[in-house]
Amino acid sequence: MSQPVPTRMQAVVVHGPEDYRLEEVDVPVPGPGEMLIRVEAVGVCASDLKCYHGAAKFWGDENRPAYVQRGRIPGHEFVGEVVSGDQKAFDHHGVGVGDRIVCEQIVPCGECRYCRRGEYWMCGPHDMFGFRNFDGAMAQYLLVPIRARAHPVSKELAPHHAAYAEPLSCALHAVERAGIKFEDVVVVAGCGPIGLGLVLGARQKNPKLVIALDLDDAKLELGRRCGADLVINVAREDAVAKIKELTDGYGADVYLEGTGHPSAVGQGLNLLRKLGTYVEYSVFGSDVTVDWSIISDDKELDVLGAHLGPYCWPAAIKMLEDGTVPVADICTHQVGLADFQQALDLVADTSGSSVKVSILPNG
């Protein structure tokens, strides 16, 4: 049960910070329990950019081990068509040749304490597509191991729209962590790909008010289309003062941080009410310093982290398939594999018009 595939392919290979190269490599051959997919689209994440620029989070320093391996093919937000594999793989994943799938970023070991407790997204070894021990999708073909968590997705979606399932599922997990209630005022920092997913997810919880913050009016308008009741351009308006004005001086109930900018952390702590909830999703490129007494003595806040999108993929895929997401407006730029550097540069240009940038390796 297979389709003929070439023996060589084009792929982006990581050689070091700011040293990514387009190379010709062998097409991986699936072994027992493995599948091969023809990559249709791969989104470029802010974490890909921070990795490219050498952030310690990815390359390691005296305080943390390396997160990424040299010689690895990057790319973890992907969709592709199954082209080969064995029956064990097909039965395990519930798919077959010709089906379209997306995969979760984590490739859990299934054996560590976290995996045994169903907390697979915090897997101890933490193998991940595009970073550690498994090549990613900035290539024409990708190997899907049996340990991967694959999800079928409709062929009616444009490939780069389907690939948005990964950042959307991550945003939905952060929303779930927040425990949003009907009467809550929810503030979302950032209207990039993750922030817009946070707005979409928060809107599905039907709180009293969803407020989106950003520096860019066009992205704030997109935030409105994703479900924000109110938008605030923080370059022109004091978000803390405005939100306190809207809440009788108390502050917001929930703050969802999706910018990865250090200034957004203090902003969130200051605009929350006492006993409010702060959820941090972003990957920061540098250390962040805040007054922790705000969290404890001043407000007794619940401060929560969020990592990946566990158990949120079916909801994210459903939202994409049923048209809940204005995904054509979010997925603004697509380039070919040979133009991967342009894709990275578009993500880096925060003053530009790009929101979600994707690479189409076989386009």
Side-chain angles (χ1 to χ4, degrees), residues 108-191:
C109 71
E111 299 175 356
C112 70
R113 170 182 179 175
Y114 303 105
C115 287
R116 292 197 308 270
R117 293 170 57 156
E119 299 160 343
Y120 69 90
W121 69 100
M122 296 306 298
C123 172
H126 224 72
D127 293 338
M128 304 182 86
F129 283 112
F131 290 111
R132 180 181 296 152
N133 292 335
F134 291 96
D135 283 329
M138 291 188 191
Q140 292 177 290
Y141 292 87
L142 178 141
L143 194 68
V144 178
I146 197 164
R147 291 198 277 121
R149 296 178 66 91
H151 302 271
V153 63
S154 171
K155 290 187 176 183
E156 298 300 313
L157 290 171
H160 50 290
H161 295 175
Y164 185 62
E166 198 278 341
L168 181 56
S169 68
C170 291
L172 295 185
H173 174 51
V175 169
E176 290 277 70
R177 291 279 282 159
I180 294 169
K181 302 178 180 65
F182 292 131
E183 69 272 19
D184 282 347
V185 172
V186 179
V187 178
V188 174
C191 288

Side-chain angles (χ1 to χ4, degrees), residues 8-12 22-25 138-141 337 361:
R8 302 282 283 174
M9 67 177 182
Q10 295 292 304
V12 177
L22 184 67
E23 299 179 0
E24 185 175 275
V25 301
M138 291 188 191
Q140 292 177 290
Y141 292 87
L337 190 61

Side-chain angles (χ1 to χ4, degrees), residues 26 89 184 191 225 251 256:
D26 289 337
D184 282 347
C191 288
R225 294 204 291 279
L256 302 168

Side-chain angles (χ1 to χ4, degrees), residues 52-341:
Y52 173 76
H53 285 301
K57 162 75 176 178
F58 299 96
W59 293 99
D61 57 22
E62 66 275 10
N63 298 314
R64 67 167 76 233
Y67 197 72
V68 67
Q69 299 163 326
R70 285 175 170 82
R72 187 65 54 209
I73 297 170
H76 58 271
E77 303 177 2
F78 60 86
V79 62
E81 180 186 1
V82 178
V83 294
S84 66
D86 64 11
Q87 197 59 47
K88 180 180 179 182
F90 299 152
D91 291 345
H92 176 76
H93 293 294
V95 298
V97 168
D99 288 337
R100 172 188 267 184
I101 62 169
V102 290
C103 291
E104 301 191 28
Q105 182 181 359
I106 188 84
V107 184
C109 71
E111 299 175 356
C112 70
R113 170 182 179 175
Y114 303 105
C115 287
R116 292 197 308 270
R117 293 170 57 156
E119 299 160 343
Y120 69 90
W121 69 100
M122 296 306 298
C123 172
H126 224 72
D127 293 338
M128 304 182 86
F129 283 112
F131 290 111
R132 180 181 296 152
N133 292 335
F134 291 96
D135 283 329
M138 291 188 191
Q140 292 177 290
Y141 292 87
L142 178 141
L143 194 68
V144 178
I146 197 164
R147 291 198 277 121
R149 296 178 66 91
H151 302 271
V153 63
S154 171
K155 290 187 176 183
E156 298 300 313
L157 290 171
H160 50 290
H161 295 175
Y164 185 62
E166 198 278 341
L168 181 56
S169 68
C170 291
L172 295 185
H173 174 51
V175 169
E176 290 277 70
R177 291 279 282 159
I180 294 169
K181 302 178 180 65
F182 292 131
E183 69 272 19
D184 282 347
V185 172
V186 179
V187 178
V188 174
C191 288
I194 290 293
L196 294 170
L198 294 171
V199 172
L200 285 156
R203 183 71 279 152
Q204 293 292 305
K205 295 294 186 179
N206 200 28
K208 177 181 178 181
L209 196 64
V210 177
I211 302 171
L213 312 180
D214 204 281
L215 297 162
D216 184 282
D217 286 335
K219 289 177 181 176
L220 286 168
E221 178 55 35
L222 187 48
R224 284 190 191 275
R225 294 204 291 279
C226 288
D229 302 293
L230 176 69
V231 299
I232 299 174
N233 188 317
V234 296
R236 295 196 302 267
E237 201 166 358
D238 184 335
V240 175
K242 179 66 174 178
I243 289 163
K244 287 190 175 180
E245 176 188 329
L246 291 167
T247 57
D248 297 323
Y250 289 104
D253 302 283
V254 174
Y255 182 77
L256 302 168
E257 202 294 296
T259 71
H261 194 282
S263 66
V265 178
Q267 171 183 261
L269 297 178
N270 284 301
L271 64 75
L272 280 169
R273 65 166 172 83
K274 294 178 181 180
L275 303 175
T277 299
Y278 180 115
V279 180
E280 182 59 64
Y281 180 79
S282 297
V283 176
F284 290 90
S286 58
D287 291 343
V288 179
T289 301
V290 295
D291 179 2
W292 274 71
S293 63
I294 299 172
I295 298 167
S296 56
D297 190 52
D298 292 357
K299 295 185 177 182
E300 196 176 316
L301 300 176
D302 287 334
V303 178
L304 303 170
H307 177 58
L308 304 184
Y311 304 113
C312 292
W313 282 75
I317 291 167
K318 182 177 185 296
M319 288 173 67
L320 288 166
E321 291 178 345
D322 69 15
T324 300
V325 181
V327 68
D329 297 325
I330 295 172
C331 297
T332 53
H333 291 72
Q334 300 84 47
V335 303
L337 190 61
D339 295 319
F340 75 91
Q341 186 63 57

